[in-house]
Every structure is written in C-alpha cells, then in structure tokens.
Amino acid sequence: MRKFFISIVCVMAMASCSTQQSLYSWYDSEDASYTYTKRGTEETLKKAMVQYEKVIKKQNGIRKTVPPGVNAEYGFLLYKAGKKEEGLALLQAEIQAYPESEKFISRIIKQLEK
C-alpha cells in the first residue's frame, strides 16, 4: 500500500511539472507599447506598430485569435499616425472579436470622428 501511495505522489508531481501553452502570443508587444508610452518618439512608435502587426498576423496561442485590446490599441495608433481608415477598421475588428468592448470602443470612435 505504501509503494502504491508513493508512486501516486510521484506521478502527480511529474504531471504538475508540465508547462501550459499561453492563450495568446504577445511576442514583445507589451515592452514596445510601454517604451512608446514612456518616450513617445517616432522610432518607438514604429517598433510598437511592428510588434502589434506581428501579434495580429502570427497567433500561436491556444485560442489562435488576436488578444483582447490589441486591435484597439493598434487601430488607435494607426489613426493617430494618419492612417484613419485602417485605424477605424481595426477598432471595428476589436468590437467584432470582443463584443463586450463595444460600448467603450464606440465611444473612442465617436471621439476620433469629431
């Protein structure tokens, strides 16, 4: 009985060591976004935009979909950079992917269109 109990404990310990795959692939978007927010230079803006594009185009996470807020953040940056149509399209994509964000994102769209 004791050997059985020890073997069960060992199996459970080994099973708990396995790694879990993330729901989303973030790549380096958080660091790029933080750097852009802190410095606000043209160079940091370009780096943030490149990272957002990578997150949107290459999703390797379990859900295989863009993480919440990424379309909105990237769309807002595009809009501010003068690419208004692309920015608005991504803001709408955020609403399509995450319907619970509609109230918040629609207010942002209204403010941008004024």
Side-chain angles (χ1 to χ4, degrees):
M1 178 72 168
R2 184 170 183 195
K3 286 184 180 182
F4 178 73
F5 180 72
I6 291 173
S7 63
I8 294 295
V9 169
C10 288
V11 168
M12 289 176 62
M14 296 296 279
S16 69
C17 293
S18 66
T19 60
Q20 293 182 4
Q21 188 178 0
S22 178
L23 288 178
Y24 307 103
S25 299
W26 293 93
Y27 300 104
D28 196 27
S29 65
E30 292 134 339
D31 291 336
S33 176
Y34 176 78
T35 303
Y36 170 68
T37 303
K38 286 298 262 186
R39 295 191 186 139
T41 65
E42 193 68 31
E43 180 184 332
T44 58
L45 173 62
K46 287 179 184 177
K47 286 182 181 180
M49 292 176 114
V50 166
Q51 289 303 320
Y52 282 131
E53 272 187 52
K54 187 176 181 180
V55 170
I56 290 170
K57 291 181 180 177
K58 295 181 181 180
Q59 265 310 303
N60 296 326
I62 292 172
R63 293 203 55 213
K64 302 284 185 209
T65 187
V66 179
V70 171
N71 282 324
E73 289 179 30
Y74 186 43
F76 186 74
L77 288 179
L78 285 172
Y79 193 92
K80 283 177 53 176
K83 299 178 181 179
K84 295 180 179 187
E85 294 298 318
E86 290 178 57
L88 290 173
L90 280 172
L91 288 166
Q92 291 295 335
E94 181 72 23
I95 293 171
Q96 293 296 319
Y98 300 98
E100 64 274 13
S101 69
E102 182 176 6
K103 287 184 180 183
F104 179 69
I105 301 297
S106 61
R107 279 193 256 156
I108 292 173
I109 292 171
K110 286 178 185 176
Q111 289 292 324
L112 291 174
E113 291 178 336
K114 284 185 178 181

